[in-house]
Amino acid sequence: MGRIENAKTLYEQAVFAGTEGALDMADLALDSLEADLMLARGRITHARYLSGEGDGDVTAFERAVDLYNSLGDTRGEGEALFWVGIYHQVVAGEDDVARPFFERARDLATQAGDRETLAYTLRHLAFASKGTPEARELLEESTRLRRDLGFLPGVAANLVGLAYLARDEGRADDAADLIAEARETAERAGAHRVLQWADEFTTPPEP
């Protein structure tokens, strides 16, 4: 509520004291609030989609991108761009469309020092790069960042992804070790859904 109260104070300064620039400052405060709200609203909409409760929507994320950009908020713009990419990759199944959003989000997150968004972005760039040598490098770097941040559910999720990559590359022993670590990490973090992903992992039989 701080920015709402600030906008009210600025309104009063403009109306009663004639303070120059007060209304422009109020607009900035409210645009910042709206950007955060749109980003939060979009994340909830996406979570509902993942739970089968909706069709997904990119509108809130796109609005957040525009607002953060106009505010010069590099960190916010990078995070919002990541979520636009998520919509195209996860909801629309358009990796080629998602990739430029992820790449721009990676650049802005790096510039802003936002390691959490960077880790997420590298994870999903890895998915968009499946079948290339780059995929494992991206996912391993994302995992390193998540370990540094202490984000155990994210570490466990990445380990599952790395296990699948190892399996696809014919590294059965590495895949088994990775999925075992993923299970242990998910259990420790209380990440029950990630534990389900680990339990669903299968290694193809030896020829």
Side-chain angles (χ1 to χ4, degrees), residues 122-141:
L122 293 174
R123 169 181 168 84
H124 285 272
L125 272 173
F127 294 158
S129 304
K130 186 178 179 181
T132 72
E134 182 187 20
R136 194 197 331 172
E137 295 175 8
L138 289 165
L139 198 52
E140 286 175 342
E141 177 61 12

PDB file of all heavy atoms in Angstrom, residues 122-141:
ATOM      1  N   LEU A 122      17.922 -19.616 -18.020  1.00  0.00           N
ATOM      2  CA  LEU A 122      18.854 -20.605 -18.556  1.00  0.00           C
ATOM      3  C   LEU A 122      18.207 -21.984 -18.620  1.00  0.00           C
ATOM      4  O   LEU A 122      18.437 -22.754 -19.566  1.00  0.00           O
ATOM      5  CB  LEU A 122      20.117 -20.651 -17.696  1.00  0.00           C
ATOM      6  CG  LEU A 122      20.994 -19.394 -17.740  1.00  0.00           C
ATOM      7  CD1 LEU A 122      22.138 -19.508 -16.736  1.00  0.00           C
ATOM      8  CD2 LEU A 122      21.525 -19.138 -19.138  1.00  0.00           C
ATOM      9  N   ARG A 123      17.401 -22.319 -17.613  1.00  0.00           N
ATOM     10  CA  ARG A 123      16.690 -23.608 -17.604  1.00  0.00           C
ATOM     11  C   ARG A 123      15.817 -23.739 -18.853  1.00  0.00           C
ATOM     12  O   ARG A 123      15.831 -24.770 -19.542  1.00  0.00           O
ATOM     13  CB  ARG A 123      15.840 -23.719 -16.341  1.00  0.00           C
ATOM     14  CG  ARG A 123      14.848 -24.892 -16.338  1.00  0.00           C
ATOM     15  CD  ARG A 123      14.030 -24.885 -15.045  1.00  0.00           C
ATOM     16  NE  ARG A 123      12.884 -25.788 -15.102  1.00  0.00           N
ATOM     17  CZ  ARG A 123      12.937 -27.100 -14.851  1.00  0.00           C
ATOM     18  NH1 ARG A 123      14.089 -27.654 -14.536  1.00  0.00           N
ATOM     19  NH2 ARG A 123      11.858 -27.851 -14.921  1.00  0.00           N
ATOM     20  N   HIS A 124      15.077 -22.687 -19.143  1.00  0.00           N
ATOM     21  CA  HIS A 124      14.129 -22.798 -20.256  1.00  0.00           C
ATOM     22  C   HIS A 124      14.799 -22.587 -21.607  1.00  0.00           C
ATOM     23  O   HIS A 124      14.308 -23.097 -22.628  1.00  0.00           O
ATOM     24  CB  HIS A 124      12.946 -21.862 -20.022  1.00  0.00           C
ATOM     25  CG  HIS A 124      12.025 -22.397 -18.974  1.00  0.00           C
ATOM     26  ND1 HIS A 124      10.994 -23.256 -19.267  1.00  0.00           N
ATOM     27  CD2 HIS A 124      12.022 -22.239 -17.622  1.00  0.00           C
ATOM     28  CE1 HIS A 124      10.378 -23.604 -18.146  1.00  0.00           C
ATOM     29  NE2 HIS A 124      10.979 -22.996 -17.136  1.00  0.00           N
ATOM     30  N   LEU A 125      15.926 -21.893 -21.638  1.00  0.00           N
ATOM     31  CA  LEU A 125      16.724 -21.883 -22.865  1.00  0.00           C
ATOM     32  C   LEU A 125      17.271 -23.279 -23.143  1.00  0.00           C
ATOM     33  O   LEU A 125      17.386 -23.694 -24.306  1.00  0.00           O
ATOM     34  CB  LEU A 125      17.877 -20.880 -22.728  1.00  0.00           C
ATOM     35  CG  LEU A 125      17.593 -19.442 -23.129  1.00  0.00           C
ATOM     36  CD1 LEU A 125      18.770 -18.544 -22.763  1.00  0.00           C
ATOM     37  CD2 LEU A 125      17.283 -19.321 -24.623  1.00  0.00           C
ATOM     38  N   ALA A 126      17.606 -24.002 -22.078  1.00  0.00           N
ATOM     39  CA  ALA A 126      18.061 -25.383 -22.246  1.00  0.00           C
ATOM     40  C   ALA A 126      16.973 -26.239 -22.881  1.00  0.00           C
ATOM     41  O   ALA A 126      17.243 -27.039 -23.789  1.00  0.00           O
ATOM     42  CB  ALA A 126      18.483 -25.977 -20.900  1.00  0.00           C
ATOM     43  N   PHE A 127      15.744 -26.068 -22.423  1.00  0.00           N
ATOM     44  CA  PHE A 127      14.640 -26.836 -23.009  1.00  0.00           C
ATOM     45  C   PHE A 127      14.461 -26.476 -24.481  1.00  0.00           C
ATOM     46  O   PHE A 127      14.174 -27.342 -25.308  1.00  0.00           O
ATOM     47  CB  PHE A 127      13.342 -26.565 -22.250  1.00  0.00           C
ATOM     48  CG  PHE A 127      13.349 -27.065 -20.833  1.00  0.00           C
ATOM     49  CD1 PHE A 127      12.475 -26.527 -19.896  1.00  0.00           C
ATOM     50  CD2 PHE A 127      14.216 -28.058 -20.416  1.00  0.00           C
ATOM     51  CE1 PHE A 127      12.469 -26.977 -18.581  1.00  0.00           C
ATOM     52  CE2 PHE A 127      14.227 -28.518 -19.112  1.00  0.00           C
ATOM     53  CZ  PHE A 127      13.343 -27.981 -18.189  1.00  0.00           C
ATOM     54  N   ALA A 128      14.619 -25.179 -24.784  1.00  0.00           N
ATOM     55  CA  ALA A 128      14.472 -24.737 -26.176  1.00  0.00           C
ATOM     56  C   ALA A 128      15.627 -25.229 -27.047  1.00  0.00           C
ATOM     57  O   ALA A 128      15.514 -25.235 -28.275  1.00  0.00           O
ATOM     58  CB  ALA A 128      14.386 -23.210 -26.235  1.00  0.00           C
ATOM     59  N   SER A 129      16.735 -25.633 -26.406  1.00  0.00           N
ATOM     60  CA  SER A 129      17.928 -26.089 -27.126  1.00  0.00           C
ATOM     61  C   SER A 129      18.068 -27.605 -27.080  1.00  0.00           C
ATOM     62  O   SER A 129      19.157 -28.134 -27.371  1.00  0.00           O
ATOM     63  CB  SER A 129      19.182 -25.453 -26.525  1.00  0.00           C
ATOM     64  OG  SER A 129      19.085 -24.048 -26.519  1.00  0.00           O
ATOM     65  N   LYS A 130      17.020 -28.310 -26.696  1.00  0.00           N
ATOM     66  CA  LYS A 130      17.087 -29.767 -26.557  1.00  0.00           C
ATOM     67  C   LYS A 130      17.645 -30.409 -27.819  1.00  0.00           C
ATOM     68  O   LYS A 130      17.286 -30.046 -28.934  1.00  0.00           O
ATOM     69  CB  LYS A 130      15.693 -30.329 -26.265  1.00  0.00           C
ATOM     70  CG  LYS A 130      15.691 -31.822 -25.973  1.00  0.00           C
ATOM     71  CD  LYS A 130      14.294 -32.322 -25.640  1.00  0.00           C
ATOM     72  CE  LYS A 130      14.311 -33.819 -25.375  1.00  0.00           C
ATOM     73  NZ  LYS A 130      12.964 -34.357 -25.076  1.00  0.00           N
ATOM     74  N   GLY A 131      18.557 -31.360 -27.618  1.00  0.00           N
ATOM     75  CA  GLY A 131      19.165 -32.047 -28.749  1.00  0.00           C
ATOM     76  C   GLY A 131      20.463 -31.423 -29.210  1.00  0.00           C
ATOM     77  O   GLY A 131      21.090 -31.924 -30.145  1.00  0.00           O
ATOM     78  N   THR A 132      20.882 -30.344 -28.534  1.00  0.00           N
ATOM     79  CA  THR A 132      22.150 -29.689 -28.879  1.00  0.00           C
ATOM     80  C   THR A 132      23.104 -29.776 -27.684  1.00  0.00           C
ATOM     81  O   THR A 132      22.666 -29.898 -26.537  1.00  0.00           O
ATOM     82  CB  THR A 132      21.933 -28.209 -29.230  1.00  0.00           C
ATOM     83  OG1 THR A 132      21.633 -27.473 -28.041  1.00  0.00           O
ATOM     84  CG2 THR A 132      20.787 -28.059 -30.232  1.00  0.00           C
ATOM     85  N   PRO A 133      24.425 -29.669 -27.922  1.00  0.00           N
ATOM     86  CA  PRO A 133      25.384 -29.690 -26.804  1.00  0.00           C
ATOM     87  C   PRO A 133      25.157 -28.543 -25.827  1.00  0.00           C
ATOM     88  O   PRO A 133      25.483 -28.657 -24.643  1.00  0.00           O
ATOM     89  CB  PRO A 133      26.743 -29.562 -27.505  1.00  0.00           C
ATOM     90  CG  PRO A 133      26.510 -30.032 -28.901  1.00  0.00           C
ATOM     91  CD  PRO A 133      25.104 -29.636 -29.231  1.00  0.00           C
ATOM     92  N   GLU A 134      24.587 -27.449 -26.318  1.00  0.00           N
ATOM     93  CA  GLU A 134      24.361 -26.272 -25.478  1.00  0.00           C
ATOM     94  C   GLU A 134      23.362 -26.551 -24.364  1.00  0.00           C
ATOM     95  O   GLU A 134      23.436 -25.944 -23.288  1.00  0.00           O
ATOM     96  CB  GLU A 134      23.862 -25.121 -26.350  1.00  0.00           C
ATOM     97  CG  GLU A 134      23.644 -23.816 -25.598  1.00  0.00           C
ATOM     98  CD  GLU A 134      22.986 -22.757 -26.456  1.00  0.00           C
ATOM     99  OE1 GLU A 134      22.366 -23.096 -27.485  1.00  0.00           O
ATOM    100  OE2 GLU A 134      23.078 -21.574 -26.073  1.00  0.00           O
ATOM    101  N   ALA A 135      22.438 -27.468 -24.591  1.00  0.00           N
ATOM    102  CA  ALA A 135      21.360 -27.702 -23.634  1.00  0.00           C
ATOM    103  C   ALA A 135      21.899 -28.088 -22.269  1.00  0.00           C
ATOM    104  O   ALA A 135      21.471 -27.538 -21.239  1.00  0.00           O
ATOM    105  CB  ALA A 135      20.412 -28.774 -24.162  1.00  0.00           C
ATOM    106  N   ARG A 136      22.852 -29.036 -22.236  1.00  0.00           N
ATOM    107  CA  ARG A 136      23.382 -29.468 -20.949  1.00  0.00           C
ATOM    108  C   ARG A 136      24.147 -28.333 -20.258  1.00  0.00           C
ATOM    109  O   ARG A 136      24.021 -28.139 -19.060  1.00  0.00           O
ATOM    110  CB  ARG A 136      24.290 -30.686 -21.095  1.00  0.00           C
ATOM    111  CG  ARG A 136      24.539 -31.318 -19.726  1.00  0.00           C
ATOM    112  CD  ARG A 136      25.686 -32.270 -19.580  1.00  0.00           C
ATOM    113  NE  ARG A 136      26.119 -33.037 -20.721  1.00  0.00           N
ATOM    114  CZ  ARG A 136      27.223 -33.781 -20.682  1.00  0.00           C
ATOM    115  NH1 ARG A 136      27.964 -33.842 -19.580  1.00  0.00           N
ATOM    116  NH2 ARG A 136      27.600 -34.461 -21.737  1.00  0.00           N
ATOM    117  N   GLU A 137      24.919 -27.569 -21.016  1.00  0.00           N
ATOM    118  CA  GLU A 137      25.675 -26.457 -20.437  1.00  0.00           C
ATOM    119  C   GLU A 137      24.747 -25.437 -19.788  1.00  0.00           C
ATOM    120  O   GLU A 137      25.014 -24.937 -18.686  1.00  0.00           O
ATOM    121  CB  GLU A 137      26.520 -25.785 -21.515  1.00  0.00           C
ATOM    122  CG  GLU A 137      27.613 -26.667 -22.098  1.00  0.00           C
ATOM    123  CD  GLU A 137      28.348 -25.993 -23.237  1.00  0.00           C
ATOM    124  OE1 GLU A 137      28.098 -24.782 -23.450  1.00  0.00           O
ATOM    125  OE2 GLU A 137      29.157 -26.658 -23.912  1.00  0.00           O
ATOM    126  N   LEU A 138      23.664 -25.117 -20.465  1.00  0.00           N
ATOM    127  CA  LEU A 138      22.708 -24.143 -19.940  1.00  0.00           C
ATOM    128  C   LEU A 138      22.055 -24.654 -18.656  1.00  0.00           C
ATOM    129  O   LEU A 138      21.922 -23.908 -17.670  1.00  0.00           O
ATOM    130  CB  LEU A 138      21.638 -23.854 -20.993  1.00  0.00           C
ATOM    131  CG  LEU A 138      22.084 -23.039 -22.212  1.00  0.00           C
ATOM    132  CD1 LEU A 138      21.051 -23.149 -23.330  1.00  0.00           C
ATOM    133  CD2 LEU A 138      22.295 -21.575 -21.831  1.00  0.00           C
ATOM    134  N   LEU A 139      21.660 -25.931 -18.671  1.00  0.00           N
ATOM    135  CA  LEU A 139      20.975 -26.478 -17.506  1.00  0.00           C
ATOM    136  C   LEU A 139      21.934 -26.641 -16.326  1.00  0.00           C
ATOM    137  O   LEU A 139      21.553 -26.449 -15.166  1.00  0.00           O
ATOM    138  CB  LEU A 139      20.309 -27.802 -17.867  1.00  0.00           C
ATOM    139  CG  LEU A 139      19.216 -28.310 -16.915  1.00  0.00           C
ATOM    140  CD1 LEU A 139      18.165 -27.239 -16.646  1.00  0.00           C
ATOM    141  CD2 LEU A 139      18.558 -29.562 -17.485  1.00  0.00           C
ATOM    142  N   GLU A 140      23.174 -26.981 -16.615  1.00  0.00           N
ATOM    143  CA  GLU A 140      24.164 -27.092 -15.543  1.00  0.00           C
ATOM    144  C   GLU A 140      24.456 -25.726 -14.914  1.00  0.00           C
ATOM    145  O   GLU A 140      24.604 -25.619 -13.688  1.00  0.00           O
ATOM    146  CB  GLU A 140      25.454 -27.711 -16.087  1.00  0.00           C
ATOM    147  CG  GLU A 140      25.337 -29.211 -16.341  1.00  0.00           C
ATOM    148  CD  GLU A 140      26.575 -29.799 -16.981  1.00  0.00           C
ATOM    149  OE1 GLU A 140      27.390 -29.024 -17.533  1.00  0.00           O
ATOM    150  OE2 GLU A 140      26.727 -31.042 -16.932  1.00  0.00           O
ATOM    151  N   GLU A 141      24.531 -24.683 -15.731  1.00  0.00           N
ATOM    152  CA  GLU A 141      24.760 -23.338 -15.192  1.00  0.00           C
ATOM    153  C   GLU A 141      23.556 -22.872 -14.367  1.00  0.00           C
ATOM    154  O   GLU A 141      23.708 -22.258 -13.306  1.00  0.00           O
ATOM    155  CB  GLU A 141      25.037 -22.356 -16.324  1.00  0.00           C
ATOM    156  CG  GLU A 141      25.219 -20.911 -15.896  1.00  0.00           C
ATOM    157  CD  GLU A 141      26.388 -20.683 -14.953  1.00  0.00           C
ATOM    158  OE1 GLU A 141      27.226 -21.591 -14.774  1.00  0.00           O
ATOM    159  OE2 GLU A 141      26.462 -19.586 -14.363  1.00  0.00           O
TER     160      GLU A 141
END
